[in-house]
Amino acid sequence: MKLNHINLGVTDVPATVALFEQHFGMKPAGEGMPMNDRMAFMRDDAGSLISVFQAKDVTYPKVFHIGFIQDTPQQVRDMHEQLTDAGFSIPEPHENNGRLTFYFDTPGGFVLEVESFFG
């Protein structure tokens, strides 16, 4: 079985699309898939789909987040530097249960995690 998609309600569709494109390598899903200020469909390198829709009040449970895995802890550090250089306010990466990770609040109103396992 393969995950088909994740749907996110976000406060800012263009800012969310820019974050996914510029920092996480996601691309527009393709022909026939709308991409505007109210909705967008993005794919990662594995073909997984994230759809984002404009929402007025974005409230996710406290533990909800979207996670992106990196191959090495150094890539997590590099991603942290890239995002902070782009103006995001992000706590330093920290070790947690055998991995290096950081979480941050996105301009779309959800939490995003970047992590890598040690070993």
Side-chain angles (χ1 to χ4, degrees):
M1 185 173 301
K2 181 180 173 183
L3 177 66
N4 183 33
H5 71 278
I6 295 171
N7 184 62
L8 297 173
V10 301
T11 56
D12 190 332
V13 171
T16 301
V17 168
L19 173 68
F20 285 154
E21 282 182 324
Q22 295 169 12
H23 301 287
F24 294 92
M26 298 189 79
K27 298 187 176 15
E31 284 191 43
M33 299 295 265
M35 191 112 157
N36 55 51
D37 288 348
R38 293 185 348 255
M39 71 178 85
F41 298 86
M42 311 288 297
R43 288 202 187 276
D44 66 9
D45 292 342
S48 296
L49 180 77
I50 293 181
S51 58
V52 292
F53 286 85
Q54 181 70 42
K56 282 186 178 185
D57 297 316
V58 174
T59 306
Y60 288 104
K62 189 173 183 173
V63 298
F64 179 83
H65 65 276
I66 299 294
F68 286 91
I69 189 120
Q70 300 293 300
D71 292 330
T72 68
Q74 185 58 49
Q75 287 175 319
V76 172
R77 291 182 196 94
D78 293 345
M79 178 64 73
H80 181 271
E81 182 178 357
Q82 176 187 0
L83 290 163
T84 55
D85 287 351
F88 291 95
S89 179
I90 305 171
E92 289 293 321
H94 63 279
E95 293 184 25
N96 182 351
N97 295 317
R99 61 198 178 99
L100 185 68
T101 185
F102 65 85
Y103 296 82
F104 70 102
D105 295 321
T106 68
F110 60 94
V111 175
L112 194 144
E113 176 188 20
V114 177
E115 69 178 330
S116 177
F117 291 91
F118 291 108

